[in-house]
């Protein structure tokens, strides 16, 4: 049986390891040059640093995953720097491009472990040089050993906000401010559920306490107003505190992000149905606990199947590989599979609490000023999307996000809506007076990421 695994993060690595343990050597495709995924990304060899410096509390887990990856890659058909840009479920084929060369990979079963990316709200001034997502700020530090600035501001909400701020402070670039759009009371109300997270919850508390103890300015329940800057970079962030007072924090860089969104375009192209998850405020591909989807022979694991975090991704990768084996009638340890199911179910409960503690600020996105650039690939402003909503209104056509895309070109550029899609949907839905789930989601289109014309 030919199994294809896409992605070499925690989910993909554990899926491949499990398949190898059962005598199946999968074809393993990864866009990056190395394994580890987003959380355990390794710097290139000349910039190598020890695990403790790079991953802090996660050093042991990172070392374990890296050694599993190193052991597995020589036994699998490992193909790094290979982007899967299309999937055809009917013929069971993947289209890939690697160093400009196109290839088609046949498979009997595919496990999609494509991870997640930052969820961004474009606030006025976000296109100034020096503004990055929180994840990109962290990747610069982890992978290249450099900071986005000497005095960055971090703005957003979610565990990554506090972690990145802590990592920057430890690395010698103390943030000028950490600004959380979620009010303290919201997080407090979620505490009983967060306690299920045990060590993960404790680590989160530690980061916040550490930052406060080291004099890093922190504010919660804030509303961003605008990022000031010019062509040569960011100079300050203007924002309102919970009491409505206006502030201006000078900075030389800014990292922003509001949680993560699944990288689920391949799942979409595979024909897997999606549902709107009100808790995650994300569209999620359908799958069961074991990663089986309604499309036979196609499995999902890790954050690409709905945000669950790195520990859950490892479990889900193992479980999806066992599901592939079960489907092929290969004997597996059913008790181990049941244990994984229990852990995955428990992990989902913690995730619900986490999402309640750091809810996506949909109203902030929906109420962006008219002149805010929403889709920077196409240079579209919030007003353009609102005008698109009116086009549909006058035509009497049911409002839908893909129609707005057709009228306005929002999400048609280089990022394919991966960056601007979440906020565009909120702006459109608010302009139409609809709940965001009622206007649908941007459909995936091949190629899922830009590829050279010569390779298409
Ligand atoms: C930028 C960023 C930083 C993060 N930092 C932390 C952190 O510090 N601590 C923490 O606890 N969590 C962090 N997270 C969350 C954490 O990374 C995830 O929970 C975890 O890595 C999920 O594992 P995964 O295997 O599902 O996905 P990932 O680790 O994201 O791995 C997915 C892999 O699939 C590859 N891929 C995706 N699409 C394709 C394609 N079409 N073709 C080929 N390859 C493809 C990607 O290159 C990637 O290597 C971060 C997330 C992001 C996005």
């Amino acid at each position: 049986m030919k199994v294809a695994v896409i992605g070499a993060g925690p989910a993909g690595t554990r899926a491949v390891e499990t398949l190898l343990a059962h005598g199946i050597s999968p074809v393993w495709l990864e866009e990056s040059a190395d394994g580890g995924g987003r959380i355990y990304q390794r710097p290139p060899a000349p910039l190598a640093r020890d695990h403790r410096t790079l991953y802090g509390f996660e050093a042991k887990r990172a070392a374990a995953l890296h050694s599993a990856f190193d052991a597995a890659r020589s036994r699998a058909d490992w193909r790094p720097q290979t982007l899967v840009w299309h999937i055809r479920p009917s013929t069971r084929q993947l289209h890939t491009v690697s160093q400009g060369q196109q290839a088609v990979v046949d498979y009997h079963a595919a496990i999609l472990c494509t991870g997640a990316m930052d969820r961004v709200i474009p606030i006025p001034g976000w296109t100034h040089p020096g503004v990055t997502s929180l994840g990109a700020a962290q990747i610069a530090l982890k992978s290249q050993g450099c900071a986005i600035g000497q005095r960055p501001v971090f703005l957003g909400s979610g565990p990554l906000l506090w972690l990145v701020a802590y990592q920057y402070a430890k690395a010698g670039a103390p943030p000028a401010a950490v600004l959380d759009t979620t009010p303290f009371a919201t997080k407090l109300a979620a505490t009983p559920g967060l306690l299920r997270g045990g060590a993960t919850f404790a680590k989160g508390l530690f980061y916040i306490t550490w930052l406060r103890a080291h004099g890093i300015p922190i504010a919660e329940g804030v509303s961003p107003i605008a990022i000031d800057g010019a062509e040569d970079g960011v100079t300050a962030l203007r924002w309102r505190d919970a009491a409505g007072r206006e502030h201006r924090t000078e900075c030389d860089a800014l990292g922003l992000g509001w949680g993560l969104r699944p990288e689920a375009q391949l799942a979409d192209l595979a024909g897997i149905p999606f549902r709107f998850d009100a808790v995650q405020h994300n569209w999620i591909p359908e799958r069961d606990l074991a990663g089986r989807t309604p499309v036979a022979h196609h499995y999902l694991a890790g954050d690409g199947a709905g945000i669950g975090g790195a520990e859950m991704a490892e479990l889900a990768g193992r479980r999806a590989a066992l599901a592939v084996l079960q489907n092929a009638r290969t004997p597996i340890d059913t008790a181990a599979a049941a244990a994984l199911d229990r852990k995955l179910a428990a992990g989902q409960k913690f995730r619900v609490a986490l999402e309640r503690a750091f809810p996506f600020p949909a109203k902030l996105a929906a109420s962006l000023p008219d002149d805010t650039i929403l889709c920077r690939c196409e240079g579209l402003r919030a007003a353009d999307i609102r005008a698109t909503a009116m086009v549909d209104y006058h035509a009497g056509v049911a409002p839908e996000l893909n129609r707005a895309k057709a009228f306005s070109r929002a999400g048609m550029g280089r990022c394919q809506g991966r960056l601007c899609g979440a906020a565009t949907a909120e702006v459109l839905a608010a302009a139409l007076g609809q709940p965001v789930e009622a206007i649908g989601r941007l459909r995936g289109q091949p190629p899922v990421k830009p590829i050279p014309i010569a390779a298409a």
Side-chain angles (χ1 to χ4, degrees), residues 6-12 29-32 37-39 82-84 113-118 135 138-139 142 160 163 260 266 302-303 309-310 313 448:
I6 304 164
L29 305 136
E30 167 58 54
E31 187 183 0
S32 313
R38 294 293 165 259
I39 175 168
T82 304
L83 172 73
V84 179
C113 309
T114 45
M117 67 174 281
D118 294 90
Q138 193 196 49
I139 286 172
K142 256 194 248 182
L160 205 54
L163 173 61
L260 301 174
L266 286 177
D303 276 4
V448 296

Side-chain angles (χ1 to χ4, degrees), residues 182 186-187 189-190 194 279-280 349-360:
T182 305
T186 306
K187 283 172 275 199
L194 290 174
V279 178
Q280 294 204 7
K349 289 187 183 150
F350 173 59
R351 176 51 50 177
V352 170
L354 209 53
E355 298 290 342
R356 292 205 170 121
F358 302 103
F360 179 68

Side-chain angles (χ1 to χ4, degrees), residues 236-262:
L237 175 76
R238 282 181 287 124
W239 54 281
R240 258 188 212 96
D241 63 24
R245 285 183 298 261
E246 202 171 317
H247 300 260
R248 186 173 187 276
T249 305
E250 293 191 1
C251 58
D252 59 357
L254 194 134
L256 43 80
W258 283 266
L260 301 174
R261 49 165 292 278

Side-chain angles (χ1 to χ4, degrees), residues 384-399:
D384 299 319
I385 302 303
R386 293 184 178 121
T388 306
M390 295 317 288
V391 169
D392 254 11
Y393 176 78
H394 291 305
V397 179

Side-chain angles (χ1 to χ4, degrees), residues 209-295:
T209 313
W210 190 97
L211 288 163
R212 284 192 196 283
H214 286 76
I216 307 291
I218 288 174
E220 292 166 277
V222 310
S223 313
I225 301 170
I227 302 165
D228 291 341
E231 276 181 10
D232 57 347
V234 175
T235 51
L237 175 76
R238 282 181 287 124
W239 54 281
R240 258 188 212 96
D241 63 24
R245 285 183 298 261
E246 202 171 317
H247 300 260
R248 186 173 187 276
T249 305
E250 293 191 1
C251 58
D252 59 357
L254 194 134
L256 43 80
W258 283 266
L260 301 174
R261 49 165 292 278
E263 282 280 66
Q265 302 93 317
L266 286 177
D268 197 2
L269 294 175
I272 297 166
F274 281 58
R275 67 176 173 83
F276 187 77
D277 183 311
V279 178
Q280 294 204 7
H281 207 81
N282 270 324
W283 286 90
I284 307 286
E286 282 181 23
R287 40 111 194 166
D288 68 9
L289 216 47
R292 297 181 201 94
T293 73
V295 181

